[in-house]
Amino acid sequence: MQQLPSPQVLTELLPPVVFELGQLFVDSGFELSLVGGPVRDLFLGRVSPDLDFTTSASPDETLAVVAGWADATWEVGRDFGTIALRKGSHTIEVTTYRADAYDPSSRKPIVAFGDKLEDDLYRRDFTMNAMALRLPSLELVDPYNGSKDLEEREVRTPGAPSMSFSDDPLRMMRAARFASQLGINVADDVRAAMTEMAERIKIISAERVRDELIKLINGVDPRAGIDLLVDTGLAEIVIPEVAALRLEIDEHHRHKDVYQHSLTVLEQSMQLESPADGPVPGPDFVLRFAALMHDIGKPATRKFEPNGAVSFRHHDVVGAKQVKARMRELRFDNDTIKSVARLVELHMRFYGYGDAGWSDSAVRRYVHDAGDLLQRLHRLTRSDVTTRNRKKADRLSFAYDDLEKRIAEISEQEEMAAVRPDLNGQQIMGLLQIKPGPVVGRAYNFLLERRLDNGPIDEDEAARVLREWWSQQPESAEQ
């Protein structure tokens, strides 16, 4: 059985405000318990930064109890029984015992306050989160065997899974998230209910689904969470492009399983994340999600050639468009969308370097096009090698080593990370005696292209090149 630390250890682990608050409620004639994730985390040997409490006191009574003790209180969640407060550096939520009922067409609960801790625990998502510590006594309340399920490393629900997911369909996403975050299994009846009720996830807002997906991708075992979403049919609603990667394998096995390849690329990208002080600190959602989604353009571009080979021409470009559309549906912010889509678009750029080599111009363009995503692109490209052919894998690895070496050498000479034309906009307008407008942009892009092709030149040479270009433009004849 998974063991809770001793009362003495708990007293040392938990911040003093936990016991102060517990004593305040008991002295006022009410029950108070630490509940949910913070209790689960104590079983796992860690202290949660979140402090969630449940109480027999009503919201008004809670406010009366903490008056004069809390530094500040908020009543935003009052209608749902929740009073938030701050004490020193701690933000705390205290919620009245609940016995919720749900409208099947809505995720919002119909709030009904309860009077028993056990009833409050029954309404929680999973047994591992349906444990409480009574305060200040530290008595464990575990009526639904959450500690046993933690020991057996299984996600279970306090009541029937179908009832739990009917009440709150987001819990199905949460089950997959826990599979990823905690590296645990999902009980068979939970999996069956998720499969049967997958369509109900449609009533959940995109923002809430997105947040659970981010936590899943950033977990210690995202493959487990993604497999669960795909196996239960939830992925066909939430990230259908990933479900579609399970291409039908032809009987001659002429092409690899793109779905399993993508999961392997995701896992390999995680291994290349850097420590907190490195260039790509893990967990890095942008890198991981790009790794998962990098080949989603393949189903739409798959073609069986006359010689029996299978091709996926331009799947990188198609995939970039698809990932943008999906992430917009999930209400991701624009910067994250652009970053993931750009990595998907660029993930094939490297291939061919090892056979033909690249000019300095091609290396400059690679760096320029990647911009501040270069370190992530390095990791994505290396992760995309999943071949079992050791010679091929070594050849690609050596080729990318050489490319990174050339990038470092040229960068040292030319400061490639901040490549700009040799003349700025003001200089262009002065030399050509033109006003701001589209022509300035064209001139700027011309100089930038030349800079990428040939490297830096001095200002006099740049002015000469610009005037030569200008003499061939129709606008120059109008002056």
Side-chain angles (χ1 to χ4, degrees):
M1 180 79 67
Q2 194 89 23
Q3 295 295 314
L4 185 70
S6 68
Q8 180 179 355
V9 172
L10 287 174
T11 302
E12 296 172 356
L13 286 175
L14 294 169
V17 293
V18 171
F19 302 97
E20 292 176 20
L21 190 61
Q23 194 64 54
L24 279 175
F25 274 80
V26 169
D27 290 346
S28 300
F30 302 108
E31 297 177 359
L32 184 78
S33 298
L34 186 67
V35 70
V39 179
R40 177 200 67 221
D41 285 352
L42 288 170
F43 275 90
L44 296 173
R46 61 197 190 198
V47 179
S48 172
D50 300 319
L51 293 176
D52 296 327
F53 299 86
T54 187
T55 180
S56 59
S58 69
D60 284 339
E61 290 167 336
T62 293
L63 286 169
V65 170
V66 302
W69 179 80
D71 298 326
T73 59
W74 298 272
E75 301 181 40
V76 176
R78 182 191 184 94
D79 290 345
F80 296 95
T82 299
I83 299 297
L85 57 96
R86 178 171 53 81
K87 178 66 174 179
S89 61
H90 298 284
T91 300
I92 294 167
E93 288 192 351
V94 181
T95 302
T96 303
Y97 293 159
R98 297 255 292 272
D100 293 341
Y102 286 78
D103 177 349
S105 64
S106 170
R107 188 184 168 271
K108 294 182 179 179
I110 302 167
V111 178
F113 296 140
D115 55 13
K116 291 179 62 178
L117 174 58
E118 289 77 8
D119 291 343
D120 181 88
L121 296 177
Y122 185 79
R123 56 167 284 276
R124 295 180 179 269
D125 53 4
F126 304 114
T127 57
M128 68 179 69
N129 294 330
M131 297 184 288
L133 280 180
R134 291 191 187 274
L135 298 171
S137 67
L138 294 176
E139 173 196 351
L140 176 65
V141 181
D142 183 15
Y144 307 108
N145 297 315
S147 57
K148 178 176 179 291
D149 292 337
L150 266 179
E151 175 69 21
E152 295 178 354
R153 307 195 67 75
E154 278 204 319
V155 175
R156 295 184 182 276
T157 54
S162 58
M163 181 67 72
S164 179
F165 298 151
S166 178
D167 285 349
D168 184 357
L170 187 65
R171 290 172 176 174
M172 295 186 288
M173 287 292 298
R174 211 172 285 145
R177 186 243 292 183
F178 282 131
S180 168
Q181 284 186 326
L182 303 179
I184 60 182
N185 299 315
V186 173
D188 289 343
D189 61 340
V190 173
R191 181 185 293 268
M194 291 171 67
T195 303
E196 181 181 348
M197 305 178 69
E199 286 287 324
R200 279 190 57 76
I201 199 67
K202 291 180 179 179
I203 73 170
I204 302 299
S205 71
E207 291 83 358
R208 299 297 302 279
V209 171
R210 174 202 64 207
D211 291 346
E212 290 296 329
L213 182 62
I214 291 172
K215 293 173 184 176
L216 186 160
I217 296 296
N218 283 346
V220 297
D221 187 13
R223 178 190 282 264
I226 295 161
D227 272 339
L228 184 58
L229 293 181
V230 172
D231 290 343
T232 58
L234 279 161
E236 292 181 15
I237 302 166
V238 176
I239 41 174
E241 297 80 8
V242 173
L245 290 177
R246 282 187 164 179
L247 296 173
E248 181 181 350
I249 305 298
D250 64 285
E251 59 180 306
H252 301 294
H253 300 284
R254 294 192 182 98
H255 61 89
K256 60 190 172 187
D257 183 332
V258 184
Y259 174 71
Q260 292 299 330
H261 163 74
S262 298
L263 292 180
T264 300
V265 174
L266 167 58
E267 290 179 323
Q268 293 184 167
S269 74
M270 293 165 58
Q271 296 168 10
L272 295 179
E273 291 172 334
S274 58
D277 58 350
V280 186
D284 187 271
F285 176 79
V286 168
L287 172 61
R288 293 184 181 198
F289 201 55
L292 175 65
M293 306 291 277
H294 76 286
D295 273 349
I296 62 171
K298 282 191 170 180
T301 59
R302 182 174 61 165
K303 182 180 179 182
F304 293 95
E305 303 293 348
N307 63 359
V310 181
S311 66
F312 304 95
R313 291 188 180 89
H314 308 302
H315 75 271
D316 44 354
V317 177
V318 172
K321 293 178 180 177
Q322 289 178 313
V323 80
K324 278 184 183 178
R326 178 55 47 201
M327 294 181 75
R328 288 190 186 113
E329 287 283 334
L330 291 169
R331 303 291 192 271
F332 278 90
D333 64 276
N334 288 333
D335 288 344
T336 303
I337 293 173
K338 289 178 182 177
S339 295
V340 173
R342 189 63 166 158
L343 287 172
V344 171
E345 182 182 359
L346 293 175
H347 83 272
M348 293 293 293
R349 181 72 69 87
F350 161 73
Y351 292 94
Y353 176 86
D355 297 327
W358 281 358
S359 64
D360 286 353
S361 170
V363 174
R364 290 189 196 97
R365 288 181 182 278
Y366 189 76
V367 174
H368 177 265
D369 290 349
D372 59 6
L373 296 171
L374 181 63
Q375 290 297 330
R376 289 184 173 112
L377 182 58
H378 286 334
R379 286 156 175 77
L380 175 59
T381 303
R382 289 184 180 277
S383 301
D384 197 21
V385 179
T386 62
T387 178
R388 295 181 182 178
N389 183 322
R390 177 48 53 190
K391 288 185 177 180
K392 182 178 179 181
D394 287 345
R395 176 173 58 81
L396 290 169
S397 179
F398 294 150
Y400 208 86
D401 287 343
D402 184 66
L403 174 59
E404 287 201 63
K405 180 181 177 182
R406 289 187 63 197
I407 288 172
E409 291 172 348
I410 299 175
S411 293
E412 185 176 351
Q413 298 168 9
E414 303 181 14
E415 298 182 5
M416 278 199 302
V419 169
R420 298 287 187 274
D422 299 291
L423 300 174
N424 61 34
Q426 291 295 329
Q427 291 171 308
I428 290 171
M429 289 187 288
L431 282 167
L432 302 184
Q433 297 184 349
I434 58 177
K435 296 179 180 180
V439 176
V440 179
R442 280 170 38 212
Y444 185 93
N445 289 332
F446 163 74
L447 290 174
L448 176 59
E449 291 294 314
R450 193 191 183 288
R451 167 76 169 78
L452 291 170
D453 284 338
N454 303 301
I457 54 179
D458 62 36
E459 190 173 316
D460 289 342
E461 178 64 9
R464 185 194 67 77
V465 169
L466 179 64
R467 289 192 180 99
E468 181 179 332
W469 171 85
W470 179 239
S471 68
Q472 301 171 14
Q473 304 307 306
E475 293 87 350
S476 65
E478 300 173 1
Q479 291 189 336

